[in-house]
Amino acid sequence: MDSPFLYNRYVTGQHFIGRKEDCSILTNLLTQNENVVIWEPFGTGKKSLVHQVFTKLKVNGESLTVGEMTALDIRQGEAFVKRLGAAVIRLVASTPDEYEKIVTGHLEGTHWVFDRKAFSDMDTILSTNWELDDNDLKAVLRLPYALAAEKGEKLYMIVDEFQNVDLADDGEHIFKLMEEVMDEVLAEGLRIFSYIFIGSQVNAMEDIFIKRHFFYRRATRLKLSGVEEREIVEHVIKGFLASGKVVDRDMISGACRLFKCNLFYINHFTSVCDSLSKGYIMEPVLLEALSAVIAINRGRFIAMMNDLTTFQVSLLKAIIDGYTKFSTAEVIRKYSLNSSANVRRLKDALMKKEILTFVGEDSKPVILDPLFEYWLRNYYFRKNQ
């Protein structure tokens, strides 16, 4: 029987909980052919939300095709465009003859070709016969709109870890070309293809979409609401009951608060509890499961801390100690932060490392990974010892 606590993939259907309003908003955006951008920390359920909505749309009879690609390993803008083109072609075609027909028909006059040997050897759909220029790149960026119009069906492309495109030297140039194509196809009335940009690097995505204003008025941000603790507790209790086990509601509530309702960590934690228990789940089982989850992540957390300077560690300690204003003379002296200018540099560095973000008008510091925060407090800085 499938585990009720899934953490190794996105979930839909009975495993999906909460976020009814988010589902409704995303459904409206997608049915209106809007581009959507979602960024939240790792494990918060971004892809689950997207796939849940697409599943519902298909059940309701919507005619649509959904593709997915990742930019996780992208370090060149041209590589991103090439991967996007291949992913889109695979949405509407499935044989070498069909691939070749699309490339020769829609990318005629460019330096893109379909090389049968490259396809046979490396499964490569898009090859080149010369150095690429902007016209070549824009031709591929226009391709999903043309194929959607030709097919007469809505196409959607989920682009996971989109912020990594910005790591390429020509990343900004690719963004600008995408904007140009978006504007051109909108003027032509081609509103039958949409992107869903997803990113788990919160500060990097904010830098692209908010600070530098890329895709302004071309993509709508959907900020996820939190899943309520009550809904998570009910989900966990029902999951345990399905396998004949009982757990105290207050202990699960405590776990939700510890993990700050991060669905990945909660499902991982409860899955370990499930594997360790029979019948009534007592507190020692939960503590052992927590210890196991921390042990799994311990190496990653140590590597994160070893990558920090002494000043950066000191700023994290100030945050763990409850400070939110770091440029005061008291905090600078107590944690040896040198100066307010140095504090600004430290904050920027920790944001680039995706360890911290700052929220609200008062720029309250938030450690993005709740388990890392718990580990810092209890194992690294040993605040409770």
Side-chain angles (χ1 to χ4, degrees), residues 219-253:
T220 302
R221 184 194 177 187
L222 174 58
K223 182 173 176 56
L224 300 193
S225 60
V227 179
E228 292 185 8
E229 180 183 309
R230 171 185 55 81
E231 293 179 289
I232 296 174
V233 171
E234 291 300 324
H235 167 72
V236 171
I237 289 175
K238 288 179 181 178
F240 281 128
L241 285 176
S243 56
K245 299 172 184 178
V246 178
V247 65
D248 184 82
R249 182 181 297 270
D250 289 339
M251 288 195 292
I252 297 302
S253 292

Side-chain angles (χ1 to χ4, degrees), residues 4 110 126 157 208 248 257 323:
T110 71
L126 288 176
M157 181 58 68
I208 294 169
D248 184 82
R257 291 189 290 274
Y323 289 96

Side-chain angles (χ1 to χ4, degrees), residues 167-178:
L167 297 177
D169 290 339
D170 55 348
E172 283 199 4
H173 184 61
I174 297 300
F175 295 157
K176 291 175 182 176
L177 292 180
M178 294 179 73

Side-chain angles (χ1 to χ4, degrees), residues 31-44:
T31 54
Q32 293 171 18
N33 305 305
E34 297 287 339
N35 299 307
V36 180
V37 55
I38 304 172
W39 66 81
E40 300 289 345
F42 171 78
T44 49

Side-chain angles (χ1 to χ4, degrees), residues 117-128:
K117 187 176 187 308
F119 177 75
S120 177
D121 293 344
M122 298 177 291
D123 198 35
T124 300
I125 292 179
L126 288 176
S127 300
T128 59

